[in-house]
Amino acid sequence: MSTTSPDPLQAPARPRLRDWQSRLAALLAEREARPFVWGEHDCGLFVADACVALTGHDPVADLRGRYRSAAGAARLLKPLGGVPGLARQRFGAEILPSLAQPGDVGLMLAEERPTLMLCLGAQWAGPGEQGLQRVAAALITQAWRCA
């Protein structure tokens, strides 16, 4: 009988904090009207901040403060395989988008650009020009457990 070894590039599973729901609600309230800013409040940092609220672990601590533009983010993410590679390596196990729970991370295309979103239940949210933007679950093509 063979066993499957874990993917060495996948983030280790971490348990959610006891108060993750109130911590996530506080993050959403604080970010609701905050506009998108590269390197401060973009899709990757937003979902990472949500994972910090849920688990206490920052999956992108080493990337923070290292870019301030789309080009800078692209340069930083290229060795990781872009946005999809970042998600595969830094968040939990990949799941079907239909199995995502609040706090999980999803991937969609927004204006032909891979964009990370946060599951809120029936909807997903991510930073936009006027604050958090919500989209239907049907737009999410891949998802990962925030754990």
Side-chain angles (χ1 to χ4, degrees):
M1 178 161 81
S2 68
T3 59
T4 304
S5 60
D7 182 349
L9 294 178
Q10 183 178 313
R14 290 181 170 75
R16 289 187 177 197
L17 300 171
R18 222 173 328 139
D19 62 344
W20 72 266
Q21 291 165 316
S22 61
R23 293 166 54 100
L24 182 59
L27 175 71
L28 293 170
E30 189 261 325
R31 301 292 174 86
E32 188 63 42
R34 189 172 173 187
F36 181 103
V37 176
W38 285 106
E40 292 179 27
H41 182 56
D42 54 47
C43 70
L45 294 178
F46 172 65
V47 297
D49 290 343
C51 285
V52 171
L54 272 67
T55 69
H57 170 74
D58 186 353
V60 299
D62 61 321
L63 304 179
R64 291 183 186 271
R66 296 182 54 197
Y67 66 96
R68 294 272 178 234
S69 66
R75 274 192 303 277
L76 193 61
L77 294 177
K78 186 175 182 179
L80 299 174
V83 172
L86 173 76
R88 277 191 295 277
Q89 293 175 33
R90 302 297 179 97
F91 298 103
E94 186 167 358
I95 56 173
L96 292 172
S98 61
L99 298 178
Q101 301 170 1
D104 288 338
V105 176
L107 181 75
M108 66 174 273
L109 287 179
E111 299 175 8
E112 299 185 33
R113 182 186 309 222
T115 301
L116 296 175
M117 302 293 283
L118 181 70
C119 181
L120 302 179
Q123 293 184 320
W124 293 72
E129 291 182 22
Q130 305 297 316
L132 292 182
Q133 303 295 306
R134 280 144 178 93
V135 300
L139 295 177
I140 303 302
T141 58
Q142 289 179 273
W144 295 266
R145 233 1 122 215
C146 181

